[in-house]
C-alpha cells in the first residue's frame, strides 16, 4: 500500500470510511474479544466546582475516543493535568506542572504513588521505552544541543550525571562526535537501559559499566520513585503532548509503520495520562483516593495486557 496516496484518497472520498492496515488489525482484535474491556474508568466523586466540571467534560470527551483513538483520548487527559494543576504553578507554567506535580502526589500519599509508579514502569511496553530513548537522544543531537528544552528537562529529571552519560554511550561515534545514525542503531539498547533504570531495582552484570553513572547495579544510580514519575510526566507525556499540539507527527495509525504494537504503546500512554489526570484531580478536589487510583491502574494494566498479549 502506498500510504501517502492512501491518506490523500481518504481525504478526497470523505465521508466514506477508509481503514488503514493497523486500524483493520485493531478492529479484528476488538471483535475477537468482545467480552473483554480494554479500558475501565475509575469512579470519581460528585463536585459542582466549575473547574472540576470542566475537567469532567474532558474526561467524557476522552472516553468518546475509546476504543479507536487512544491518541485523542490522551490529548483530553493531558488538558486535565494542565487545567487542574495550573493554580499551583501560576508563575512556572506547564513546565512547572510537569516537573513539580510528582512531588505533590508523593507528599499526599507516598505509599500508593510509589506502587503506582512501580506498576506503570514495569508494565510500560518496550516500544514506548524506545520512543522515550529516541526522543532523549534526539534532544542532544539538535542544533540547540544542551539548550534544547527536552535536554534541560532530562537533566532535571535524571540528575546531572545519568543523562549526559546516557547520551555519550548511545549517541557518540568512535571519534567522540554526536551521530544520529549511531543513536538510531543504539535505540533498542538505550531503551533496555531506561527500562532497568525505571524499574527502580538494581540489575546484575558481569562486565563493568561503560560509565560509573550508568552502573545500575548500584542503588544510588537508580531513579527514586519521584524521579521516575517525573520522567514519565515531564519527558514522555509532555514531549508527546508538544509534538501533537504542534502538528509535528503523522497520524499514528495511518502510516506504513503502524502495527498493533503502536496501538499498545498509545493505549499505555493514554493510561499514563489518565492516571496523572486523576492524581491531580484527587489533590485539587479530593474526588478519589490514591488507593483507588492504584486499584484502577492495576485493573487497567491487566486489561491492556490481556488485550494485546
Amino acid at each position: 500500500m502506498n500510504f501517502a496516496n492512501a491518506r490523500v484518497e481518504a481525504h478526497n472520498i470523505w465521508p466514506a470510511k477508509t481503514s488503514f492496515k493497523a486500524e483493520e488489525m485493531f478492529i479484528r482484535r476488538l471483535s475477537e474479544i468482545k467480552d473483554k474491556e480494554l479500558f475501565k474508568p475509575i469512579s470519581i466523586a460528585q463536585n459542582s466546582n466549575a473547574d472540576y466540571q470542566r475537567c469532567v467534560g474532558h474526561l467524557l470527551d476522552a472516553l468518546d475516543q475509546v476504543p479507536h483513538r487512544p491518541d485523542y483520548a490522551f490529548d483530553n487527559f493531558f488538558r486535565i493535568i494542565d487545567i487542574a494543576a495550573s493554580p499551583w504553578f501560576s508563575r512556572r507554567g506547564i513546565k512547572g506542572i510537569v516537573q513539580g506535580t510528582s512531588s505533590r502526589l508523593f507528599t499526599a500519599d507516598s505509599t500508593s504513588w510509589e506502587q503506582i509508579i512501580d506498576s506503570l514502569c514495569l508494565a510500560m511496553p518496550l516500544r514506548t521505552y524506545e520512543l522515550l530513548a529516541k526522543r532523549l537522544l534526539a534532544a542532544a543531537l539538535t542544533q540547540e544541543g544542551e539548550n534544547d528544552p527536552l535536554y534541560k528537562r532530562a537533566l532535571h529529571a535524571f540528575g546531572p550525571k545519568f543523562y549526559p552519560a546516557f547520551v555519550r554511550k548511545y549517541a557518540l561515534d568512535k571519534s567522540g562526535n554526536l551521530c544520529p545514525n549511531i543513536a538510531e542503531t543504539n535505540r533498542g539498547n538505550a531503551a533496555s537501559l531506561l527500562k532497568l533504570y525505571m524499574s527502580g531495582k538494581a540489575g546484575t552484570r558481569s562486565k563493568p559499566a561503560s560509565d560509573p553513572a550508568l552502573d545500575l547495579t548500584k542503588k544510588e544510580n537508580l531513579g527514586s520513585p519521584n524521579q521516575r514519575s517525573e520522567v514519565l510526566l515531564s519527558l514522555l507525556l509532555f514531549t508527546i503532548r508538544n509534538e501533537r499540539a504542534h502538528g509535528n507527527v503523522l497520524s499514528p495509525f495511518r502510516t506504513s509503520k503502524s502495527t498493533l504494537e503502536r496501538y499498545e504503546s498509545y493505549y499505555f500512554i493514554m493510561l499514563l495520562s489518565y492516571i496523572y489526570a486523576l492524581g491531580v484531580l484527587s489533590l485539587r478536589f479530593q474526588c478519589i483516593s490514591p488507593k483507588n487510583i492504584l486499584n484502577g491502574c492495576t485493573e487497567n494494566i491487566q486489561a491492556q495486557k490481556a488485550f494485546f498479549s
Side-chain angles (χ1 to χ4, degrees):
M1 176 188 289
N2 184 319
F3 281 80
N5 290 346
R7 282 189 290 270
V8 174
E9 182 64 16
H11 167 270
N12 291 343
I13 67 172
W14 187 87
K17 177 66 176 175
T18 301
S19 294
F20 287 68
K21 178 181 68 175
E23 293 174 310
E24 292 172 353
M25 293 169 62
F26 183 68
I27 291 169
R28 284 198 299 271
R29 183 65 178 144
L30 284 172
S31 68
E32 290 170 1
I33 54 172
K34 294 179 181 178
D35 60 333
K36 305 280 186 177
E37 292 185 48
L38 180 51
F39 180 74
K40 301 180 180 181
I42 307 169
S43 295
I44 55 176
Q46 295 286 352
N47 190 317
S48 59
N49 177 277
D51 280 348
Y52 184 74
Q53 289 298 319
R54 285 174 62 202
C55 291
V56 173
H58 286 300
L59 286 176
L60 295 177
D61 286 344
L63 294 178
D64 284 344
Q65 306 304 323
V66 178
H68 296 286
R69 292 308 298 258
D71 55 324
Y72 290 159
F74 160 80
D75 294 337
N76 282 283
F77 289 145
F78 199 95
R79 289 188 191 112
I80 294 169
I81 300 170
D82 190 2
I83 292 169
S86 289
W88 304 327
F89 305 98
S90 58
R91 296 185 180 181
R92 295 178 58 198
I94 194 165
K95 179 182 176 183
I97 291 172
V98 297
Q99 289 183 332
T101 292
S102 295
S103 294
R104 285 181 171 265
L105 294 173
F106 277 92
T107 298
D109 186 336
S110 61
T111 300
S112 293
W113 278 99
E114 183 169 346
Q115 292 179 67
I116 291 169
I117 298 306
D118 283 346
S119 298
L120 290 170
C121 290
L122 179 63
M124 190 154 84
L126 185 59
R127 187 182 185 110
T128 313
Y129 276 111
E130 289 178 352
L131 171 63
L132 177 58
K134 182 176 181 178
R135 295 297 186 265
L136 290 173
L137 294 174
L141 294 164
T142 63
Q143 290 184 344
E144 294 182 30
E146 295 182 4
N147 290 318
D148 182 274
L150 175 55
Y151 191 101
K152 290 181 176 180
R153 296 201 311 276
L155 285 177
H156 188 276
F158 288 118
K161 294 182 179 179
F162 179 87
Y163 181 48
F166 178 81
V167 171
R168 288 194 298 270
K169 181 176 178 64
Y170 295 114
L172 297 185
D173 61 20
K174 293 181 180 179
S175 301
N177 299 313
L178 290 168
C179 178
N181 290 337
I182 296 295
E184 181 61 27
T185 300
N186 287 333
R187 182 173 60 178
N189 290 333
S192 295
L193 183 75
L194 284 178
K195 187 174 180 66
L196 179 56
Y197 175 93
M198 294 294 284
S199 75
K201 295 178 175 60
T204 59
R205 58 182 304 135
S206 56
K207 297 180 180 179
S210 60
D211 188 292
L214 301 180
D215 185 355
L216 299 184
T217 65
K218 296 181 178 179
K219 193 169 181 61
E220 61 265 26
N221 287 336
L222 295 168
S224 68
N226 189 22
Q227 282 180 295
R228 290 183 283 131
S229 177
E230 187 178 332
V231 169
L232 295 175
L233 183 52
S234 176
L235 306 187
L236 179 61
L237 296 187
F238 187 41
T239 298
I240 294 171
R241 175 265 184 193
N242 289 344
E243 291 174 348
R244 291 180 58 77
H246 298 150
N248 291 339
V249 290
L250 280 171
S251 176
F253 311 119
R254 293 170 176 174
T255 77
S256 60
K257 296 181 180 179
S258 295
T259 64
L260 277 180
E261 283 185 330
R262 181 163 290 187
Y263 272 97
E264 180 182 22
S265 183
Y266 263 93
Y267 255 94
F268 185 81
I269 289 165
M270 179 192 77
L271 177 60
L272 272 179
S273 62
Y274 180 57
I275 295 302
Y276 278 108
L278 292 184
V280 173
L281 290 178
S282 74
L283 291 177
R284 275 283 309 277
F285 304 105
Q286 295 77 51
C287 60
I288 184 172
S289 70
K291 187 172 182 179
N292 284 347
I293 295 175
L294 170 61
N295 292 338
C297 177
T298 301
E299 189 175 14
N300 273 283
I301 287 173
Q302 292 171 347
Q304 289 190 13
K305 284 184 176 180
F307 183 89
F308 291 107
S309 62

